[in-house]
Amino acid sequence: GWYSAAGQLNATPSRGRIYDAIDNFPEADGIRGLCLDLVQQSRAAQPNIPQMHVTHMLLLLYTTAEGMGWHRDSDPNDGDNDHPIVSIS
């Protein structure tokens, strides 16, 4: 979950983070379908965007506005940035 055993958010003092294989989340097929639909809509406008194979999901919980500004996918598990990342707020 969002919180450690000590009751603190598990990422930063104002952010919780859950990252796991998509199939470990409830409603995985619906989430996968939504992501694929959004990528298809994007590809209609920009055909050179690669197809997507949905494998993992990252959920973030912000308890304050701190940390919600600029974001980039630069962690080692973020991949090579050569495939779509679907972000929904």
Side-chain angles (χ1 to χ4, degrees):
W2 305 112
Y3 294 91
S4 69
Q8 303 295 320
L9 286 168
N10 63 10
T12 71
S14 63
R15 186 181 74 172
R17 183 178 193 274
I18 300 172
Y19 177 78
D20 204 349
I22 190 76
D23 290 323
N24 292 332
F25 287 92
E27 307 286 336
D29 289 336
I31 296 165
R32 184 180 289 108
L34 174 62
C35 290
L36 293 173
D37 286 347
L38 292 170
V39 169
Q40 280 305 110
Q41 290 178 40
S42 298
R43 286 175 47 86
Q46 187 59 258
N48 64 340
I49 294 173
Q51 292 286 349
M52 179 181 213
H53 176 68
V54 182
T55 61
H56 286 75
M57 184 163 70
L58 170 65
L59 297 175
L60 299 173
L61 168 70
Y62 293 95
T63 59
T64 70
E66 185 178 331
M68 289 185 69
W70 176 249
H71 170 79
R72 63 187 186 146
D73 297 307
S74 58
D75 290 329
N77 67 348
D78 288 333
D80 297 326
N81 293 318
D82 59 351
H83 288 75
I85 295 172
V86 176
S87 179
I88 303 169
S89 296

